[in-house]
PDB file of all heavy atoms in Angstrom:
ATOM      1  N   GLU A 350     112.556 -47.651  43.234  1.00 97.00           N
ATOM      2  CA  GLU A 350     113.074 -48.969  43.475  1.00 97.00           C
ATOM      3  C   GLU A 350     112.030 -50.001  43.792  1.00 97.00           C
ATOM      4  O   GLU A 350     112.097 -51.111  43.429  1.00 97.00           O
ATOM      5  CB  GLU A 350     114.125 -48.874  44.628  1.00 97.00           C
ATOM      6  CG  GLU A 350     114.848 -50.223  44.928  1.00 97.00           C
ATOM      7  CD  GLU A 350     115.553 -50.805  43.710  1.00 97.00           C
ATOM      8  OE1 GLU A 350     115.946 -50.039  42.786  1.00 97.00           O
ATOM      9  OE2 GLU A 350     115.845 -51.977  43.687  1.00 97.00           O
ATOM     10  N   ILE A 351     111.009 -49.571  44.586  1.00 96.00           N
ATOM     11  CA  ILE A 351     109.905 -50.457  44.892  1.00 96.00           C
ATOM     12  C   ILE A 351     109.296 -50.894  43.552  1.00 96.00           C
ATOM     13  O   ILE A 351     108.890 -52.084  43.338  1.00 96.00           O
ATOM     14  CB  ILE A 351     108.935 -49.828  45.823  1.00 96.00           C
ATOM     15  CG1 ILE A 351     109.490 -49.690  47.263  1.00 96.00           C
ATOM     16  CG2 ILE A 351     107.680 -50.636  45.962  1.00 96.00           C
ATOM     17  CD1 ILE A 351     108.685 -48.879  48.172  1.00 96.00           C
ATOM     18  N   LEU A 352     108.989 -49.895  42.784  1.00 96.00           N
ATOM     19  CA  LEU A 352     108.299 -50.170  41.485  1.00 96.00           C
ATOM     20  C   LEU A 352     109.160 -51.011  40.519  1.00 96.00           C
ATOM     21  O   LEU A 352     108.636 -51.947  39.889  1.00 96.00           O
ATOM     22  CB  LEU A 352     107.949 -48.801  40.777  1.00 96.00           C
ATOM     23  CG  LEU A 352     107.178 -48.903  39.477  1.00 96.00           C
ATOM     24  CD1 LEU A 352     105.813 -49.652  39.733  1.00 96.00           C
ATOM     25  CD2 LEU A 352     106.875 -47.496  38.938  1.00 96.00           C
ATOM     26  N   ARG A 353     110.412 -50.729  40.427  1.00 96.00           N
ATOM     27  CA  ARG A 353     111.328 -51.500  39.625  1.00 96.00           C
ATOM     28  C   ARG A 353     111.411 -52.931  40.099  1.00 96.00           C
ATOM     29  O   ARG A 353     111.276 -53.936  39.286  1.00 96.00           O
ATOM     30  CB  ARG A 353     112.777 -50.982  39.693  1.00 96.00           C
ATOM     31  CG  ARG A 353     113.761 -51.671  38.775  1.00 96.00           C
ATOM     32  CD  ARG A 353     115.198 -51.612  39.291  1.00 96.00           C
ATOM     33  NE  ARG A 353     115.404 -52.219  40.594  1.00 96.00           N
ATOM     34  CZ  ARG A 353     115.476 -53.545  40.772  1.00 96.00           C
ATOM     35  NH1 ARG A 353     115.353 -54.410  39.684  1.00 96.00           N
ATOM     36  NH2 ARG A 353     115.640 -54.129  41.921  1.00 96.00           N
ATOM     37  N   ALA A 354     111.503 -53.182  41.424  1.00 97.00           N
ATOM     38  CA  ALA A 354     111.514 -54.581  41.990  1.00 97.00           C
ATOM     39  C   ALA A 354     110.199 -55.346  41.677  1.00 97.00           C
ATOM     40  O   ALA A 354     110.243 -56.473  41.429  1.00 97.00           O
ATOM     41  CB  ALA A 354     111.875 -54.464  43.438  1.00 97.00           C
ATOM     42  N   HIS A 355     109.167 -54.572  41.842  1.00 96.00           N
ATOM     43  CA  HIS A 355     107.826 -55.218  41.605  1.00 96.00           C
ATOM     44  C   HIS A 355     107.718 -55.618  40.122  1.00 96.00           C
ATOM     45  O   HIS A 355     107.174 -56.714  39.879  1.00 96.00           O
ATOM     46  CB  HIS A 355     106.734 -54.145  41.957  1.00 96.00           C
ATOM     47  CG  HIS A 355     105.290 -54.673  41.745  1.00 96.00           C
ATOM     48  ND1 HIS A 355     104.769 -55.605  42.624  1.00 96.00           N
ATOM     49  CD2 HIS A 355     104.413 -54.441  40.824  1.00 96.00           C
ATOM     50  CE1 HIS A 355     103.494 -55.918  42.230  1.00 96.00           C
ATOM     51  NE2 HIS A 355     103.293 -55.153  41.141  1.00 96.00           N
ATOM     52  N   ARG A 356     108.119 -54.789  39.214  1.00 95.00           N
ATOM     53  CA  ARG A 356     108.007 -55.086  37.792  1.00 95.00           C
ATOM     54  C   ARG A 356     108.956 -56.193  37.379  1.00 95.00           C
ATOM     55  O   ARG A 356     108.642 -56.946  36.458  1.00 95.00           O
ATOM     56  CB  ARG A 356     108.234 -53.873  36.986  1.00 95.00           C
ATOM     57  CG  ARG A 356     107.073 -52.782  37.041  1.00 95.00           C
ATOM     58  CD  ARG A 356     107.471 -51.501  36.374  1.00 95.00           C
ATOM     59  NE  ARG A 356     106.267 -50.581  36.240  1.00 95.00           N
ATOM     60  CZ  ARG A 356     106.319 -49.363  35.832  1.00 95.00           C
ATOM     61  NH1 ARG A 356     107.502 -48.851  35.440  1.00 95.00           N
ATOM     62  NH2 ARG A 356     105.305 -48.631  35.732  1.00 95.00           N
ATOM     63  N   ALA A 357     110.033 -56.316  38.061  1.00 96.00           N
ATOM     64  CA  ALA A 357     111.112 -57.186  37.637  1.00 96.00           C
ATOM     65  C   ALA A 357     110.981 -58.618  38.212  1.00 96.00           C
ATOM     66  O   ALA A 357     111.715 -59.504  37.809  1.00 96.00           O
ATOM     67  CB  ALA A 357     112.500 -56.643  38.014  1.00 96.00           C
ATOM     68  N   SER A 358     110.015 -58.771  39.132  1.00 95.00           N
ATOM     69  CA  SER A 358     109.897 -60.055  39.788  1.00 95.00           C
ATOM     70  C   SER A 358     108.511 -60.608  39.701  1.00 95.00           C
ATOM     71  O   SER A 358     107.531 -59.869  39.558  1.00 95.00           O
ATOM     72  CB  SER A 358     110.265 -59.814  41.296  1.00 95.00           C
ATOM     73  OG  SER A 358     110.059 -61.000  42.048  1.00 95.00           O
ATOM     74  N   GLU A 359     108.436 -61.884  39.857  1.00 96.00           N
ATOM     75  CA  GLU A 359     107.120 -62.546  39.836  1.00 96.00           C
ATOM     76  C   GLU A 359     106.460 -62.359  41.240  1.00 96.00           C
ATOM     77  O   GLU A 359     105.326 -62.665  41.492  1.00 96.00           O
ATOM     78  CB  GLU A 359     107.161 -64.007  39.451  1.00 96.00           C
ATOM     79  CG  GLU A 359     107.605 -64.203  37.992  1.00 96.00           C
ATOM     80  CD  GLU A 359     107.703 -65.714  37.661  1.00 96.00           C
ATOM     81  OE1 GLU A 359     107.447 -66.510  38.563  1.00 96.00           O
ATOM     82  OE2 GLU A 359     107.971 -66.026  36.486  1.00 96.00           O
ATOM     83  N   VAL A 360     107.410 -62.022  42.232  1.00 97.00           N
ATOM     84  CA  VAL A 360     106.894 -61.810  43.648  1.00 97.00           C
ATOM     85  C   VAL A 360     106.389 -60.400  43.803  1.00 97.00           C
ATOM     86  O   VAL A 360     106.995 -59.404  43.299  1.00 97.00           O
ATOM     87  CB  VAL A 360     108.083 -62.038  44.634  1.00 97.00           C
ATOM     88  CG1 VAL A 360     107.692 -61.750  46.003  1.00 97.00           C
ATOM     89  CG2 VAL A 360     108.537 -63.456  44.468  1.00 97.00           C
ATOM     90  N   SER A 361     105.254 -60.243  44.444  1.00 96.00           N
ATOM     91  CA  SER A 361     104.640 -58.870  44.653  1.00 96.00           C
ATOM     92  C   SER A 361     105.517 -58.085  45.669  1.00 96.00           C
ATOM     93  O   SER A 361     105.909 -58.622  46.654  1.00 96.00           O
ATOM     94  CB  SER A 361     103.282 -59.045  45.187  1.00 96.00           C
ATOM     95  OG  SER A 361     102.711 -57.745  45.448  1.00 96.00           O
ATOM     96  N   HIS A 362     105.639 -56.820  45.341  1.00 97.00           N
ATOM     97  CA  HIS A 362     106.260 -55.804  46.214  1.00 97.00           C
ATOM     98  C   HIS A 362     105.292 -54.712  46.599  1.00 97.00           C
ATOM     99  O   HIS A 362     105.643 -53.766  47.269  1.00 97.00           O
ATOM    100  CB  HIS A 362     107.523 -55.232  45.625  1.00 97.00           C
ATOM    101  CG  HIS A 362     108.628 -56.220  45.355  1.00 97.00           C
ATOM    102  ND1 HIS A 362     108.585 -57.222  44.504  1.00 97.00           N
ATOM    103  CD2 HIS A 362     109.875 -56.267  45.930  1.00 97.00           C
ATOM    104  CE1 HIS A 362     109.731 -57.884  44.496  1.00 97.00           C
ATOM    105  NE2 HIS A 362     110.540 -57.356  45.350  1.00 97.00           N
ATOM    106  N   LEU A 363     104.063 -54.857  46.205  1.00 95.00           N
ATOM    107  CA  LEU A 363     103.037 -53.906  46.509  1.00 95.00           C
ATOM    108  C   LEU A 363     101.789 -54.599  47.197  1.00 95.00           C
ATOM    109  O   LEU A 363     101.110 -55.397  46.448  1.00 95.00           O
ATOM    110  CB  LEU A 363     102.549 -53.210  45.266  1.00 95.00           C
ATOM    111  CG  LEU A 363     103.573 -52.266  44.626  1.00 95.00           C
ATOM    112  CD1 LEU A 363     103.168 -51.780  43.215  1.00 95.00           C
ATOM    113  CD2 LEU A 363     103.928 -51.084  45.480  1.00 95.00           C
ATOM    114  N   PRO A 364     101.651 -54.361  48.504  1.00 95.00           N
ATOM    115  CA  PRO A 364     102.434 -53.496  49.309  1.00 95.00           C
ATOM    116  C   PRO A 364     103.723 -54.259  49.741  1.00 95.00           C
ATOM    117  O   PRO A 364     103.747 -55.488  49.715  1.00 95.00           O
ATOM    118  CB  PRO A 364     101.460 -53.297  50.550  1.00 95.00           C
ATOM    119  CG  PRO A 364     100.638 -54.533  50.561  1.00 95.00           C
ATOM    120  CD  PRO A 364     100.462 -54.902  49.131  1.00 95.00           C
ATOM    121  N   THR A 365     104.670 -53.412  50.103  1.00 96.00           N
ATOM    122  CA  THR A 365     105.853 -53.902  50.818  1.00 96.00           C
ATOM    123  C   THR A 365     105.586 -54.034  52.297  1.00 96.00           C
ATOM    124  O   THR A 365     104.794 -53.277  52.932  1.00 96.00           O
ATOM    125  CB  THR A 365     106.928 -52.910  50.587  1.00 96.00           C
ATOM    126  OG1 THR A 365     107.364 -52.991  49.214  1.00 96.00           O
ATOM    127  CG2 THR A 365     108.205 -53.125  51.470  1.00 96.00           C
ATOM    128  N   HIS A 366     106.118 -55.023  52.920  1.00 97.00           N
ATOM    129  CA  HIS A 366     105.936 -55.304  54.361  1.00 97.00           C
ATOM    130  C   HIS A 366     107.078 -54.694  55.190  1.00 97.00           C
ATOM    131  O   HIS A 366     108.261 -54.956  54.990  1.00 97.00           O
ATOM    132  CB  HIS A 366     105.867 -56.761  54.693  1.00 97.00           C
ATOM    133  CG  HIS A 366     104.879 -57.560  53.846  1.00 97.00           C
ATOM    134  ND1 HIS A 366     103.514 -57.473  54.088  1.00 97.00           N
ATOM    135  CD2 HIS A 366     105.072 -58.245  52.728  1.00 97.00           C
ATOM    136  CE1 HIS A 366     102.924 -58.169  53.176  1.00 97.00           C
ATOM    137  NE2 HIS A 366     103.854 -58.664  52.354  1.00 97.00           N
ATOM    138  N   TRP A 367     106.766 -53.693  56.072  1.00 96.00           N
ATOM    139  CA  TRP A 367     107.751 -53.153  56.941  1.00 96.00           C
ATOM    140  C   TRP A 367     107.741 -53.933  58.277  1.00 96.00           C
ATOM    141  O   TRP A 367     106.672 -53.889  58.989  1.00 96.00           O
ATOM    142  CB  TRP A 367     107.428 -51.666  57.161  1.00 96.00           C
ATOM    143  CG  TRP A 367     108.320 -50.937  58.125  1.00 96.00           C
ATOM    144  CD1 TRP A 367     109.524 -51.297  58.600  1.00 96.00           C
ATOM    145  CD2 TRP A 367     108.003 -49.746  58.903  1.00 96.00           C
ATOM    146  NE1 TRP A 367     110.082 -50.407  59.508  1.00 96.00           N
ATOM    147  CE2 TRP A 367     109.162 -49.441  59.669  1.00 96.00           C
ATOM    148  CE3 TRP A 367     106.926 -48.864  58.823  1.00 96.00           C
ATOM    149  CZ2 TRP A 367     109.229 -48.319  60.494  1.00 96.00           C
ATOM    150  CZ3 TRP A 367     107.035 -47.734  59.674  1.00 96.00           C
ATOM    151  CH2 TRP A 367     108.171 -47.538  60.480  1.00 96.00           C
ATOM    152  N   VAL A 368     108.785 -54.640  58.562  1.00 97.00           N
ATOM    153  CA  VAL A 368     108.902 -55.475  59.749  1.00 97.00           C
ATOM    154  C   VAL A 368     109.804 -54.817  60.768  1.00 97.00           C
ATOM    155  O   VAL A 368     111.059 -54.491  60.376  1.00 97.00           O
ATOM    156  CB  VAL A 368     109.427 -56.886  59.352  1.00 97.00           C
ATOM    157  CG1 VAL A 368     109.613 -57.735  60.636  1.00 97.00           C
ATOM    158  CG2 VAL A 368     108.436 -57.556  58.393  1.00 97.00           C
ATOM    159  N   PHE A 369     109.344 -54.706  61.988  1.00 94.00           N
ATOM    160  CA  PHE A 369     110.261 -54.010  62.997  1.00 94.00           C
ATOM    161  C   PHE A 369     109.793 -54.562  64.364  1.00 94.00           C
ATOM    162  O   PHE A 369     108.912 -55.344  64.468  1.00 94.00           O
ATOM    163  CB  PHE A 369     110.111 -52.488  62.967  1.00 94.00           C
ATOM    164  CG  PHE A 369     108.735 -51.956  63.097  1.00 94.00           C
ATOM    165  CD1 PHE A 369     108.120 -51.651  64.302  1.00 94.00           C
ATOM    166  CD2 PHE A 369     107.962 -51.778  61.922  1.00 94.00           C
ATOM    167  CE1 PHE A 369     106.867 -51.133  64.391  1.00 94.00           C
ATOM    168  CE2 PHE A 369     106.607 -51.295  62.016  1.00 94.00           C
ATOM    169  CZ  PHE A 369     106.142 -50.965  63.251  1.00 94.00           C
ATOM    170  N   ASP A 370     110.546 -54.113  65.393  1.00 94.00           N
ATOM    171  CA  ASP A 370     110.330 -54.673  66.666  1.00 94.00           C
ATOM    172  C   ASP A 370     109.929 -53.601  67.669  1.00 94.00           C
ATOM    173  O   ASP A 370     109.689 -52.373  67.257  1.00 94.00           O
ATOM    174  CB  ASP A 370     111.468 -55.552  67.217  1.00 94.00           C
ATOM    175  CG  ASP A 370     112.779 -54.673  67.438  1.00 94.00           C
ATOM    176  OD1 ASP A 370     112.719 -53.464  67.298  1.00 94.00           O
ATOM    177  OD2 ASP A 370     113.728 -55.251  67.867  1.00 94.00           O
ATOM    178  N   GLN A 371     109.951 -53.872  68.928  1.00 92.00           N
ATOM    179  CA  GLN A 371     109.466 -52.895  69.949  1.00 92.00           C
ATOM    180  C   GLN A 371     110.363 -51.686  70.011  1.00 92.00           C
ATOM    181  O   GLN A 371     109.945 -50.596  70.506  1.00 92.00           O
ATOM    182  CB  GLN A 371     109.283 -53.580  71.329  1.00 92.00           C
ATOM    183  CG  GLN A 371     108.780 -52.737  72.403  1.00 92.00           C
ATOM    184  CD  GLN A 371     107.282 -52.255  72.087  1.00 92.00           C
ATOM    185  OE1 GLN A 371     106.517 -53.045  71.500  1.00 92.00           O
ATOM    186  NE2 GLN A 371     107.033 -51.052  72.505  1.00 92.00           N
ATOM    187  N   ARG A 372     111.573 -51.803  69.622  1.00 87.00           N
ATOM    188  CA  ARG A 372     112.519 -50.701  69.694  1.00 87.00           C
ATOM    189  C   ARG A 372     111.991 -49.492  68.909  1.00 87.00           C
ATOM    190  O   ARG A 372     112.248 -48.374  69.231  1.00 87.00           O
ATOM    191  CB  ARG A 372     113.859 -51.125  69.112  1.00 87.00           C
ATOM    192  CG  ARG A 372     114.619 -52.206  69.852  1.00 87.00           C
ATOM    193  CD  ARG A 372     115.846 -52.607  69.137  1.00 87.00           C
ATOM    194  NE  ARG A 372     116.437 -53.835  69.624  1.00 87.00           N
ATOM    195  CZ  ARG A 372     117.397 -53.795  70.572  1.00 87.00           C
ATOM    196  NH1 ARG A 372     117.824 -52.719  71.105  1.00 87.00           N
ATOM    197  NH2 ARG A 372     117.897 -54.939  71.023  1.00 87.00           N
ATOM    198  N   GLN A 373     111.235 -49.699  67.811  1.00 83.00           N
ATOM    199  CA  GLN A 373     110.705 -48.652  66.966  1.00 83.00           C
ATOM    200  C   GLN A 373     109.772 -47.771  67.826  1.00 83.00           C
ATOM    201  O   GLN A 373     109.821 -46.528  67.734  1.00 83.00           O
ATOM    202  CB  GLN A 373     109.953 -49.169  65.820  1.00 83.00           C
ATOM    203  CG  GLN A 373     109.373 -48.169  64.853  1.00 83.00           C
ATOM    204  CD  GLN A 373     110.343 -47.428  63.994  1.00 83.00           C
ATOM    205  OE1 GLN A 373     111.416 -47.934  63.699  1.00 83.00           O
ATOM    206  NE2 GLN A 373     110.022 -46.177  63.637  1.00 83.00           N
ATOM    207  N   PHE A 374     108.938 -48.384  68.726  1.00 83.00           N
ATOM    208  CA  PHE A 374     108.040 -47.577  69.531  1.00 83.00           C
ATOM    209  C   PHE A 374     108.770 -47.112  70.800  1.00 83.00           C
ATOM    210  O   PHE A 374     108.392 -46.012  71.336  1.00 83.00           O
ATOM    211  CB  PHE A 374     106.934 -48.452  69.989  1.00 83.00           C
ATOM    212  CG  PHE A 374     105.963 -48.890  68.867  1.00 83.00           C
ATOM    213  CD1 PHE A 374     105.860 -50.108  68.458  1.00 83.00           C
ATOM    214  CD2 PHE A 374     105.307 -47.860  68.113  1.00 83.00           C
ATOM    215  CE1 PHE A 374     105.027 -50.557  67.386  1.00 83.00           C
ATOM    216  CE2 PHE A 374     104.430 -48.232  67.078  1.00 83.00           C
ATOM    217  CZ  PHE A 374     104.346 -49.554  66.650  1.00 83.00           C
ATOM    218  N   ASP A 375     109.910 -47.702  71.196  1.00 82.00           N
ATOM    219  CA  ASP A 375     110.661 -47.241  72.355  1.00 82.00           C
ATOM    220  C   ASP A 375     111.347 -46.008  72.020  1.00 82.00           C
ATOM    221  O   ASP A 375     111.721 -45.120  72.911  1.00 82.00           O
ATOM    222  CB  ASP A 375     111.602 -48.300  72.904  1.00 82.00           C
ATOM    223  CG  ASP A 375     110.784 -49.529  73.479  1.00 82.00           C
ATOM    224  OD1 ASP A 375     109.580 -49.330  73.695  1.00 82.00           O
ATOM    225  OD2 ASP A 375     111.454 -50.617  73.572  1.00 82.00           O
ATOM    226  N   ASN A 376     111.678 -45.782  70.725  1.00 75.00           N
ATOM    227  CA  ASN A 376     112.510 -44.555  70.312  1.00 75.00           C
ATOM    228  C   ASN A 376     111.475 -43.476  70.148  1.00 75.00           C
ATOM    229  O   ASN A 376     110.622 -43.389  69.233  1.00 75.00           O
ATOM    230  CB  ASN A 376     113.101 -44.886  69.007  1.00 75.00           C
ATOM    231  CG  ASN A 376     113.971 -43.631  68.524  1.00 75.00           C
ATOM    232  OD1 ASN A 376     113.943 -42.596  69.055  1.00 75.00           O
ATOM    233  ND2 ASN A 376     114.656 -43.817  67.375  1.00 75.00           N
TER     234      ASN A 376
END
Side-chain angles (χ1 to χ4, degrees):
E350 182 59 22
I351 291 172
L352 185 57
R353 184 207 63 77
H355 180 74
R356 288 174 172 172
S358 173
E359 295 181 359
V360 175
S361 176
H362 293 67
L363 293 174
T365 288
H366 307 282
W367 176 19
V368 175
F369 55 93
D370 66 1
Q371 186 60 38
R372 296 173 191 268
Q373 179 75 26
F374 293 115
D375 292 345
N376 180 358

